[in-house]
Amino acid sequence: MALMTSTRRLFHVSFRENSLRRAEALISATNTTSGNLSLAGQRMACIRVRDFGTNTQPLRADNKVTVHFTNRDGEKISVKGSPGDSLLDVIIDQDLDFDGFGACEGTLACSTCHLIFEEDVYNKLGPITDEEMDMLDLAYGLTDTSRLGCQICLTRSLEGMTARVPESVADIRQSGDGSS
Amino acid sequence: MGKLPRPESVDIYERLPVPFGLVRFGVAPDHPEVKNVINTFTQTAQHARCSFHGNVRVGKDVTVEELQEAYHAVVLSYGAEGNRTMGVPGEDLAGVYSAKDFVGWYNGLPRNSELRPDLSCETAVILGQGNVALDVARILLSPVDILKKTDITQHALDALAESSVRRVLIVGRRGPLQVACTIKELREMVNLPGTRPEMEASEFEGIAETLKSLARPRKRLTELLLKAAIETPGEEELERRNRAERAWGFRFLRKPLEVLPSTDLIRAAGIRLAVNRLEGDGEGVRAVATGEVEDVECGLVISSIGYKSLLIDPAVPFDARKAIIPNTMGRVQQTAGLYCSGWVKRGPTGVIATTMNDSFDTARTLLQDIGKGTLDVSTVKPGSQGVSALLEKRGVKPVSFSDWEKIDSEETRRGEIKGKPREKMLDVGEMLQVARA
């Protein structure tokens, strides 16, 4: 909906600020004795500061990685992102208009950034934590090559990959996965 | 969705002066990241073609019929503010609460601000094993040092700091494979500082053998449950459990029969439970009474067995048995121009994402109806101007979204003083005062 696109642009500004704040929170959280369970959910897989790869040059236009998303209408959308961005970051930055995507803003408190990958790409993605799996388990249409986009960091090895945005429609029956 | 028609205006009517419903009043205080979706809702509310009208009681200040006269389409998404009752003797004794009211109390819902639950007993029994039941257990047992940094209401924090509750039993009618909670919430209980799990190994007989046949979500959940319930802990964990002063555990195959009164007959002193066994398998598993009965001593009983939608206006069709508005894909039956979404449409289960997607469905249905011409938008309708005139006549003053932002700022300011994200106002009168300042 056009409504969603224009609100996304406004949302994206506060999202970036939240990203940086969460990065700070993560760094300070690891320095305190953990008693605050909610901070575990704010763990970020990718820190958006700089390209931490072996290439220490500053970000340039040709430092980008091209990825493709197949949306819920079956259309293929190609975008560029920077290594170190999460796939959710890329989707937000590029104003890709997937309804309801990333509702919890990358804090592992929902499953709306659910993406499905091809098997060879899936095997190249970083390790999955228990916390990600806990939320992924609630995703509608879960597959063996599903991941949460907020936890996948873009790297050059993902150049040219395609991720599918699955249907998020709730079944008319109550979901059988135990989510209350 | 780019080809669908674009409404000229979308107006939101809400009974309280404050928006967001269960995201504000239902999500647990120690789950702040779940509330991030408020940012998305805020962006929507601030859109030029959207306006929020708080402090308006639909069904009392303005009827649904009057809304239908003013708008081309009306969407009912008022959720489920009632709760299923146990329907047992003693349910009205002091010390017995619905989870809805208990959660409303610690989350600052104005109508629950005077609940004053008695936390001077040692054992609390929660009926129900869904995420709400686990939220209640976790709030009862969390170290106050954790809670005091959240947006939990001050009066709840004070009461919990004085609480004598040391043991929480989370009781369900069926077995371990039927628990309705999800793994994130179970993991939080397992990792809750200062607590240890205490469960009966006998209640898990035969469960480990079923693991390999389970789908991944249920399998992981059951594995974690077994680990907490019956696995011998390592040295470090054993030490941690020995130091823990509080305990929690699931009890299965138990159904409430009666809340037992104290000798002065005023408050709950225990609960009588029927012992069940399971019949059938897979989706068709049923709990059947064995005839055996068990009494558990406790001073706090919280029933978390489901929310329930209520009738908002006699003109709206309502299925009293299912407690939902009868509808087909969000179109209210027999009533053109009336739609519904969320819990009042599908029943009161599902996380935010589930309900949000359901709302997208209703929106799509509505827009498609306009596009197809089945919803007539050719006549000019007065919209909010028509409703405002009625409200003014009736002495009702709506709260706008920017009025809410004043309440929001004040709550945030009050919270900052105490190191909390916000200190919620508990009184509607006070909210209105700040809104109009």
Side-chain angles (χ1 to χ4, degrees), chain A residues 3 35 104-105 134 137 168 178, chain B residues 36 39 146 180 187 216 220:
Chain A
L3 182 67
C104 78
E105 302 178 6
D134 287 354
D137 277 355
S168 57
Chain B
N36 282 345
N39 297 331
I146 293 178
R187 209 183 280 288
R216 192 182 93 176
R220 291 181 72 240

Side-chain angles (χ1 to χ4, degrees), chain A residues 106-127:
Chain A
T107 56
L108 286 178
C110 76
S111 58
T112 61
C113 68
H114 175 205
L115 292 169
I116 299 177
F117 298 86
E118 288 149 351
E119 195 173 334
D120 56 320
V121 175
Y122 177 79
N123 293 333
K124 277 194 279 192
L125 303 175

Side-chain angles (χ1 to χ4, degrees), chain B residues 3-130:
Chain B
K3 308 280 188 300
L4 290 167
R6 227 177 62 146
E8 210 173 270
S9 64
V10 179
D11 297 341
I12 302 172
Y13 290 90
E14 155 65 47
R15 182 181 55 210
L16 287 172
V18 298
F20 309 133
L22 281 179
V23 178
R24 175 180 166 101
F25 295 116
V27 175
D30 57 348
H31 287 167
E33 59 287 329
V34 175
K35 303 190 203 196
N36 282 345
V37 73
I38 282 178
N39 297 331
T40 310
F41 295 159
T42 296
Q43 303 296 349
T44 304
Q46 288 171 338
H47 191 280
R49 283 183 285 121
C50 184
S51 66
F52 171 80
H53 305 261
N55 195 40
V56 177
R57 298 170 300 171
V58 173
K60 290 206 178 68
D61 298 330
V62 60
T63 66
V64 171
E65 269 172 346
E66 286 167 340
L67 286 177
Q68 287 190 279
E69 276 162 37
Y71 293 91
H72 294 104
V74 174
V75 182
L76 298 167
S77 51
Y78 61 84
E81 66 177 39
N83 60 270
R84 294 178 61 206
T85 53
M86 291 188 284
V88 302
E91 193 155 11
D92 295 324
L93 288 169
V96 183
Y97 308 97
S98 66
K100 166 184 84 70
D101 287 341
F102 194 79
V103 171
W105 168 72
Y106 65 64
N107 270 342
L109 189 60
R111 66 172 49 175
N112 295 133
S113 57
E114 307 297 309
L115 197 74
R116 280 187 267 274
D118 185 350
L119 306 178
S120 61
C121 57
E122 193 192 284
T123 302
V125 167
I126 302 174
L127 287 321
Q129 296 174 328

